[in-house]
Amino acid sequence: MDDFGLDSFTEQPDGMLLFSFDFMDTDNLFSWLLSFGSQAELLGPAELRDIFFEMIQKMMKKYK
């Protein structure tokens, strides 16, 4: 968390953390998200969420 600063995180009423930061490189963003496994969700922007979903779908096909 220190890499982005504590002000990048907001605790939600359910105890989850909402992270907000501008990433310049989508590959780094996706790698970072994947490091959290199923514990992370990309909320937006919608275009990146769609690209991330497609990438995950391709990964799933390799493991079926």
Side-chain angles (χ1 to χ4, degrees):
M1 282 200 251
D2 294 335
D3 294 345
F4 302 103
L6 292 177
D7 57 337
S8 297
F9 297 87
T10 307
E11 186 171 357
Q12 301 301 290
D14 63 0
M16 299 290 286
L17 290 178
L18 177 63
F19 173 75
S20 179
F21 193 81
D22 291 330
F23 277 83
M24 300 304 277
D25 182 344
T26 56
D27 288 337
N28 286 337
L29 169 62
F30 294 161
S31 294
W32 185 74
L33 285 170
L34 289 169
S35 74
F36 292 97
S38 64
Q39 301 300 309
E41 179 181 356
L42 177 59
L43 300 176
E47 303 83 37
L48 284 183
R49 188 175 163 97
D50 291 343
I51 294 168
F52 193 53
F53 179 76
E54 289 175 19
M55 183 181 79
I56 293 168
Q57 292 292 313
K58 289 177 185 176
M59 290 172 62
M60 286 175 50
K61 287 180 183 179
K62 290 182 180 184
Y63 291 95
K64 282 190 173 186

